Amino acid sequence: MNTHDILPVIKIVLTDKRVIITAIVVFLFMNFCSYVVRYRKKPKSAAVKKSIAAPAPAPAEESSEGGGDDAGGDEE
């Protein structure tokens, strides 16, 4: 067999739809495998959580009832 006899056989083999479909499937499978090998998880982004600030304690109010001595004695 010489080259002139081989070329038509190669053309028939390469244009066969089973060969084309198999080549496409192998190509997609290899792409998927390379994706899995190179896959890296994205780092978790530091989500800024808004903390609810506790309300400031109210200052103690002085009561001025009676305006007198609070010694605990009876007022007459």
Side-chain angles (χ1 to χ4, degrees):
M1 272 187 117
N2 58 17
T3 348
H4 295 290
D5 295 336
I6 295 176
L7 288 176
V9 173
I10 292 175
K11 181 181 175 190
I12 292 171
V13 169
L14 292 179
T15 57
D16 187 31
K17 64 180 172 183
R18 291 174 292 188
V19 174
I20 293 171
I21 291 171
T22 304
I24 290 172
V25 168
V26 168
F27 177 76
L28 292 175
F29 181 73
M30 294 300 288
N31 276 341
F32 176 72
C33 289
S34 87
Y35 172 77
V36 169
V37 167
R38 297 173 193 265
Y39 179 75
R40 298 275 188 256
K41 269 190 170 180
K42 293 180 182 177
K44 291 184 178 180
S45 61
V48 179
K49 293 183 179 179
K50 293 183 180 180
S51 61
I52 300 173
E61 295 181 18
E62 295 181 22
S63 62
S64 58
E65 295 178 16
D69 192 68
D70 288 335
D74 291 330
E75 290 184 28
E76 292 182 46

